Amino acid sequence: MTVTIRDVSKKSGYSVATVSRVINDSDLVTEETKKKVGQVIKDLGFVPNNTARGLSTRKSNTIGMIVPNISNPFFGELIKGAEEAAGKNGFNIIILNSSYNNEKTIKDIMILKSRNVDGIIMSSVDFDESIYNTLVENGIPFVLTGPVLSNHKINYVSVDNLEGAKKAIKHLIELGHERIGYMSGDYASYLNKLRLQGYREALEANNIKIDKELVFKENIEKNIDKFMKMKSEDKPTAIFTFNDYMALDYMEKLEEKGIKIPEDVAVVGFDNIKMASYYSIGLTTVDNRQEEFGEKSFELLQDIIKGKTEETHQIITKPKLIIRKTCGAKSKK
Amino acid sequence: MTVTIRDVSKKSGYSVATVSRVINDSDLVTEETKKKVGQVIKDLGFVPNNTARGLSTRKSNTIGMIVPNISNPFFGELIKGAEEAAGKNGFNIIILNSSYNNEKTIKDIMILKSRNVDGIIMSSVDFDESIYNTLVENGIPFVLTGPVLSNHKINYVSVDNLEGAKKAIKHLIELGHERIGYMSGDYASYLNKLRLQGYREALEANNIKIDKELVFKENIEKNIDKFMKMKSEDKPTAIFTFNDYMALDYMEKLEEKGIKIPEDVAVVGFDNIKMASYYSIGLTTVDNRQEEFGEKSFELLQDIIKGKTEETHQIITKPKLIIRKTCGAKSKK
DNA sequence: ATCAGGAATGTAACCGGTTACATTATAAAG
DNA sequence: CTTTATAATGTAACCGGTTACATTCCTGAT
């Protein structure tokens, strides 16, 4: 039923090898034969079977992508960028949802291995030793997205988190704030550490001494409690949050308590998730351009797969501050 | 380097056929041999090569999924549901982004064909004849998500749009509204038609005569203009929008003009996108449960692939009204 | 005219599984 | 103790491509 290379061979009078060469646009074959065979291919509606191809070449032109949560647009954009770049290069993407679970991630890696993917783009928040080992032992090329805390030299693409945090803080300082708080949750990720460090460095660079009381590292409820109990003159006049999701959460809680944003306290987030841009929120934030990320991750992975590069690469993109309403900056309108 | 079935065969002393049977848990093989061979498989770390498997079985255990925009959480949730259901059944998903482009969609279908996917879940907004033909001519099982306007009997999973619209309108009527408007954009999709019809039927069922002036079918700007120019006694006191994205857009524009929601006009959307749930928005809307959709789509597709069903199926899920703030209903809090 | 060497094409093994069919072992029946 | 049916295992062809190596065909040099 399905048309194979041998059908094309028979009908065209050329051998399967030649047909194969035509398919792969080899320069071992004349322009004339290319035309003739090409015509037969069209006539028969022949489409090369990628599975068969993959078996003999040991390549699948497929890359795996493991993300914690597909429905989170943050990852959605990442996937979109990667998918587009992949498509342009004849690759397709198999998506797996790890649900933030490392055991599941390892299973996923093995699934991808059995499918002979050429490489994996990992967006695992908590990249640990067991994941690293699984990837390396199975000889699977991979690229990580996001900042990576690891003793191993690893390929990754990440935004410059330090720089992003600094831009946010610098902007707040320029708006006249001196008591700037940092609010995260109580889960101490490496990412959190980096952004907090950026916060500190920016303050120091502007000769503002760091007040430990302004670094809120408990869970959201406790942080809000602490904030509410502070004397007004002690309260921060601006808050930089670990990420946009948290910023939204904090804003919700603060507004419930009657705190006005940005009048009483300015807020700046990180990530620039879609929701941040919605008018009634207008969250000022640091854009880390997920889509571009996805694209770069794929490109790096492709270079690795094709053996264009031997060393590991750490690609750090520059973030951009998106000024909206919650920081209290005057809009140009 | 990679361990193959023949390595397992050699080391275990059994033939490749028996090893293959063990892998596939065939009951043609003794429990004892299963154990023995199983041990060798473990020892060698053998993982069956899915590509080779796919070549001989002509199955890939892969399904393709074509969506218009991966980064839109609406589709993200759909993908998530499908991915999870697929994973449980040993399937993986290749994602393709059609960017709302039908030509791209057809190319994507051919790519998926060359990859021998077992079936496709399509979430094409504008499912036309050419797409239908491509799928059928290539003998690819497929399931559509969303309502389908087609002369052909097609497998699809959709929410009951009529019912959803009716629930929304009924709720507004119960809140005391009599002048209820319908606002869409000027792109007349089948989906739009269905929801508009639900709106009409609900009004009629409640003996409210339909006022053409309250159906806004121009583009958003024009509709807003028209609304603003209406005499206050003519203005609708509540608006049902085609979907949540539009609801947000309309709300933004209306609030810019000083119209308060829900005091001046109540708003109800459709889809229950994530943003709708955010506190400062609190959009009352109709939930069509995308994730469940993805799951059901996969399950239906699987039945078709496995030949469990001959006829076509139209699965219609029941939507649920999510009452938040924009409809003006008193909150229970 | 003869030959070397490169270009174009062909032959057939191979990738790593599956499975129809063949064979052997095992047990029940005559 | 055959015969026969059945269960367990083995042999080898096959899925549809790729590609190393072999072959044929030209062209230009001697």
Side-chain angles (χ1 to χ4, degrees):
Chain A
M1 197 211 107
T2 43
V3 183
T4 77
I5 200 173
R6 301 182 210 254
D7 297 323
V8 177
S9 164
K10 251 177 229 160
K11 177 138 190 208
S12 68
Y14 286 93
S15 70
V16 286
T18 299
V19 176
S20 173
R21 288 184 191 111
V22 172
I23 297 167
N24 292 291
D25 201 25
S26 155
D27 43 11
L28 277 175
V29 71
T30 331
E31 278 308 315
E32 202 196 325
T33 21
K34 272 188 196 176
K35 259 183 207 158
K36 281 189 197 164
V37 175
Q39 189 56 47
V40 177
I41 287 176
K42 258 193 194 167
D43 292 348
L44 294 171
F46 167 73
V47 181
N49 180 325
N50 242 295
T51 308
R53 216 173 214 180
L55 183 57
S56 57
T57 59
R58 246 158 266 102
K59 294 200 171 66
S60 61
N61 288 327
T62 306
I63 68 163
M65 200 157 175
I66 302 178
V67 297
N69 182 6
I70 303 171
S71 66
N72 181 336
F74 180 80
F75 296 109
E77 283 165 28
L78 184 75
I79 298 170
K80 192 178 180 188
E83 195 275 335
E84 194 180 337
K88 282 183 189 156
N89 290 279
F91 281 77
N92 286 114
I93 290 188
I94 289 181
I95 285 288
L96 288 167
N97 201 78
S98 71
S99 306
Y100 296 93
N101 176 335
N102 279 12
E103 283 174 37
K104 170 77 161 52
T105 301
I106 289 179
K107 273 186 200 160
D108 287 347
I109 293 172
M110 294 315 290
I111 288 174
L112 292 172
K113 188 202 170 173
S114 80
R115 286 177 175 272
N116 289 81
V117 295
D118 301 320
I120 299 181
I121 294 175
M122 304 261 311
S123 187
S124 177
V125 172
D126 181 19
F127 183 82
D128 69 11
E129 204 66 10
S130 65
I131 293 178
Y132 175 81
N133 289 336
T134 308
L135 287 164
V136 172
E137 281 164 16
N138 287 286
I140 306 170
F142 67 97
V143 164
L144 253 68
T145 66
V148 180
L149 179 61
S150 169
N151 300 321
H152 312 281
K153 273 272 179 191
I154 285 179
N155 289 290
Y156 69 80
V157 180
S158 172
V159 77
D160 189 336
N161 283 282
L162 239 73
E163 180 72 17
K166 284 181 192 170
K167 279 190 177 166
I169 301 301
K170 187 161 164 263
H171 179 68
L172 287 170
I173 293 172
E174 283 167 2
L175 289 174
H177 293 279
E178 291 186 346
R179 294 191 61 73
I180 301 172
Y182 178 80
M183 287 195 181
S184 61
D186 55 359
Y187 177 67
S189 68
Y190 178 55
L191 192 53
N192 188 10
K193 214 168 166 178
L194 281 177
R195 293 180 182 175
L196 176 57
Q197 192 185 332
Y199 159 86
R200 288 208 176 103
E201 289 182 10
L203 290 179
E204 278 169 1
N206 286 278
N207 301 315
I208 298 180
K209 72 162 197 273
I210 290 152
D211 182 345
K212 277 183 192 163
E213 289 304 304
L214 294 182
V215 176
F216 298 71
K217 354 173 114 173
E218 305 286 331
N219 65 38
I220 297 187
E221 284 70 31
K222 284 189 186 166
N223 288 342
I224 292 281
D225 260 10
K226 179 177 159 189
F227 176 89
M228 294 309 295
K229 283 180 186 151
M230 289 171 101
K231 284 184 247 169
S232 10
E233 65 266 31
D234 290 341
K235 277 193 170 76
T237 61
I239 297 169
F240 174 51
T241 63
F242 167 56
N243 69 20
D244 287 356
Y245 269 112
M246 286 202 182
L248 298 180
D249 239 355
Y250 278 116
M251 283 161 63
E252 174 165 12
K253 299 268 164 43
L254 289 171
E255 293 192 335
E256 267 177 15
K257 308 260 182 194
I259 309 283
K260 286 202 175 122
I261 294 162
E263 293 80 358
D264 299 331
V265 61
V267 174
V268 176
F270 205 118
D271 283 348
N272 193 25
I273 62 175
K274 208 131 209 166
M275 218 186 279
S277 71
Y278 183 60
Y279 88 104
S280 87
I281 296 174
L283 179 65
T284 293
T285 187
V286 180
D287 185 14
N288 60 11
R289 291 177 293 183
Q290 284 296 299
E291 217 174 304
E292 192 185 324
F293 251 57
E295 195 185 323
K296 290 220 166 113
S297 303
F298 171 78
E299 283 164 1
L300 175 54
L301 183 58
Q302 189 179 223
D303 285 350
I304 298 166
I305 292 170
K306 299 209 167 155
K308 281 194 192 162
T309 175
E310 282 300 312
E311 333 92 74
T312 53
H313 293 259
Q314 288 75 40
I315 297 179
I316 315 274
T317 62
K318 290 292 163 201
K320 205 177 136 192
L321 187 68
I322 309 286
I323 299 170
R324 297 203 181 92
K325 300 190 302 190
T326 59
C327 62
K330 291 277 186 309
S331 86
K332 280 158 272 175
K333 191 169 87 171
Chain B
M1 196 210 107
T2 43
V3 184
T4 77
I5 200 172
R6 299 179 214 257
D7 297 324
V8 177
S9 164
K10 252 177 228 159
K11 176 137 189 212
S12 68
Y14 286 93
S15 69
V16 287
T18 299
V19 176
S20 173
R21 287 182 193 114
V22 172
I23 297 167
N24 293 290
D25 200 26
S26 155
D27 43 11
L28 276 174
V29 71
T30 332
E31 277 309 312
E32 203 197 321
T33 20
K34 271 187 196 175
K35 260 182 205 158
K36 281 188 196 164
V37 174
Q39 189 55 48
V40 177
I41 288 176
K42 258 192 192 166
D43 292 349
L44 295 171
F46 166 73
V47 181
N49 179 325
N50 243 295
T51 309
R53 218 174 212 178
L55 183 58
S56 57
T57 59
R58 244 157 267 102
K59 296 202 168 68
S60 60
N61 288 327
T62 306
I63 68 166
M65 199 156 174
I66 303 177
V67 297
N69 183 5
I70 303 171
S71 66
N72 181 336
F74 180 81
F75 296 109
E77 282 166 29
L78 183 74
I79 298 170
K80 191 178 180 189
E83 195 274 336
E84 196 181 334
K88 282 184 191 158
N89 290 278
F91 281 77
N92 286 115
I93 289 188
I94 290 180
I95 285 287
L96 288 165
N97 202 78
S98 70
S99 305
Y100 296 94
N101 176 335
N102 279 13
E103 282 174 37
K104 170 78 161 52
T105 300
I106 289 179
K107 273 186 198 160
D108 286 347
I109 294 172
M110 293 315 288
I111 287 174
L112 291 173
K113 189 203 169 171
S114 81
R115 285 177 175 272
N116 288 80
V117 295
D118 301 319
I120 299 181
I121 294 175
M122 305 258 313
S123 186
S124 177
V125 172
D126 182 19
F127 183 82
D128 69 9
E129 204 67 11
S130 65
I131 293 179
Y132 175 81
N133 288 336
T134 308
L135 287 164
V136 171
E137 280 164 15
N138 287 285
I140 305 171
F142 67 98
V143 164
L144 253 68
T145 69
V148 181
L149 180 60
S150 168
N151 300 322
H152 311 282
K153 273 274 179 189
I154 285 180
N155 288 289
Y156 69 81
V157 180
S158 172
V159 77
D160 189 336
N161 283 282
L162 239 72
E163 180 71 17
K166 284 181 190 170
K167 280 190 177 168
I169 301 302
K170 187 161 164 263
H171 179 68
L172 288 170
I173 293 173
E174 283 168 1
L175 289 175
H177 293 279
E178 291 186 348
R179 293 191 63 72
I180 302 172
Y182 179 80
M183 288 196 179
S184 60
D186 55 358
Y187 177 68
S189 69
Y190 178 54
L191 192 52
N192 188 9
K193 214 168 167 178
L194 280 178
R195 293 181 182 174
L196 177 55
Q197 192 186 330
Y199 158 87
R200 288 206 176 104
E201 289 182 12
L203 290 179
E204 278 169 1
N206 285 277
N207 301 315
I208 298 180
K209 70 162 199 275
I210 290 152
D211 182 345
K212 276 184 192 162
E213 288 305 304
L214 294 182
V215 176
F216 298 72
K217 353 174 114 173
E218 305 286 331
N219 65 37
I220 296 187
E221 284 70 32
K222 284 189 185 164
N223 288 342
I224 291 281
D225 261 11
K226 177 177 159 192
F227 175 89
M228 294 309 295
K229 283 179 186 151
M230 290 171 99
K231 283 184 247 166
S232 10
E233 66 267 30
D234 289 342
K235 276 192 170 77
T237 61
I239 297 169
F240 175 50
T241 64
F242 166 55
N243 68 20
D244 287 355
Y245 269 112
M246 287 202 179
L248 298 179
D249 239 356
Y250 278 117
M251 283 162 62
E252 175 164 12
K253 300 266 163 42
L254 289 171
E255 292 192 335
E256 266 176 16
K257 309 259 182 196
I259 307 283
K260 288 206 173 117
I261 296 163
E263 293 80 359
D264 298 332
V265 62
V267 173
V268 176
F270 205 120
D271 282 349
N272 193 24
I273 62 175
K274 207 128 207 166
M275 217 186 281
S277 72
Y278 184 59
Y279 88 102
S280 86
I281 296 172
L283 179 64
T284 292
T285 185
V286 181
D287 185 16
N288 59 13
R289 291 177 294 180
Q290 283 296 299
E291 217 175 304
E292 193 185 323
F293 250 58
E295 196 186 321
K296 289 221 167 111
S297 303
F298 171 78
E299 284 164 2
L300 175 54
L301 183 57
Q302 187 178 223
D303 285 349
I304 298 166
I305 291 170
K306 300 208 166 157
K308 281 193 191 161
T309 177
E310 282 300 312
E311 333 92 76
T312 53
H313 293 259
Q314 287 75 40
I315 296 180
I316 314 274
T317 63
K318 289 292 163 200
K320 204 178 137 189
L321 187 69
I322 309 284
I323 299 170
R324 297 203 182 93
K325 300 190 302 192
T326 59
C327 61
K330 290 276 186 308
S331 85
K332 279 158 276 173
K333 192 169 85 175

